[in-house]
Amino acid sequence: FIERSYQSCDQNPAGSTRTEDNCWSANNAVTISLNGQNTTLVKDDTSGQWHPQDDNGEQVQLLTGAVNGAYSGEYWVVTDAKGIKYYFGRNQLPGYTTGSTPTNSVDTEPVFATASGQPCYNATFANSYCANMAYRWNLDYVVDPHANVVSYFYTQLTGYYARDNGTKATASYTRSEERRVGKE
């Protein structure tokens, strides 16, 4: 998986923006867990490219446009030094058609923006959030250089909580659990 950690809005200055929700921050950490290794992903501010902190020659791409329920359809493709491609959060496998089974590989949650330029920013804090910001992209499928493929599918669970210090649980978040498909 690839995971983005958000800052708690409780760390905001006192006032209406100090809540128990998650807020966008310049300190959002992105980590990858792949093949038994965990490392932080670092974005090069000059090139915009992502690299593992413990770089072993992987190419890491953050792309948009997937039909996965997340803000901007963000998903990741990681290509290792052997040419193996790992897809995280794409949700629809190649050849997907209406009626095909999605992978349900993206977990989302509401995330508030506190500054102009952040996703979904609004001058009014209560309206300054993305309801579907991805926080975890699970592995959808892997393709080796010989075009062998393995795919992973997840069961999506939905939870609710009271957003912006509210008293009624109206905000939803999703969490995935891997499920097995086919014969064992």
Side-chain angles (χ1 to χ4, degrees), residues 51-71:
H51 303 278
Q53 190 171 23
D54 299 332
D55 199 339
N56 290 318
E58 298 94 340
Q59 178 186 7
V60 178
Q61 298 171 285
L62 173 58
L63 303 170
T64 58
V67 180
N68 62 10
Y71 176 82

Side-chain angles (χ1 to χ4, degrees), residues 134-168:
Y135 68 90
R136 187 173 191 157
W137 298 264
N138 291 295
L139 184 61
D140 288 295
Y141 65 104
V142 181
V143 182
D144 75 10
H146 306 290
N148 295 309
V149 177
V150 63
S151 302
Y152 300 89
F153 294 84
Y154 303 84
T155 299
Q156 201 81 61
L157 305 173
T158 302
Y160 297 90
Y161 75 98
R163 180 180 58 234
D164 192 20
N165 289 333
T167 58
K168 185 175 180 183

Side-chain angles (χ1 to χ4, degrees), residues 97-159:
T97 59
T98 301
S100 296
T101 303
T103 63
N104 294 317
S105 57
V106 179
D107 297 340
T108 62
E109 66 183 349
V111 176
F112 281 81
T114 58
S116 179
Q118 295 174 341
C120 303
Y121 176 75
N122 184 297
T124 304
F125 182 76
N127 298 324
S128 189
Y129 68 93
C130 294
N132 58 343
M133 189 61 72
Y135 68 90
R136 187 173 191 157
W137 298 264
N138 291 295
L139 184 61
D140 288 295
Y141 65 104
V142 181
V143 182
D144 75 10
H146 306 290
N148 295 309
V149 177
V150 63
S151 302
Y152 300 89
F153 294 84
Y154 303 84
T155 299
Q156 201 81 61
L157 305 173
T158 302

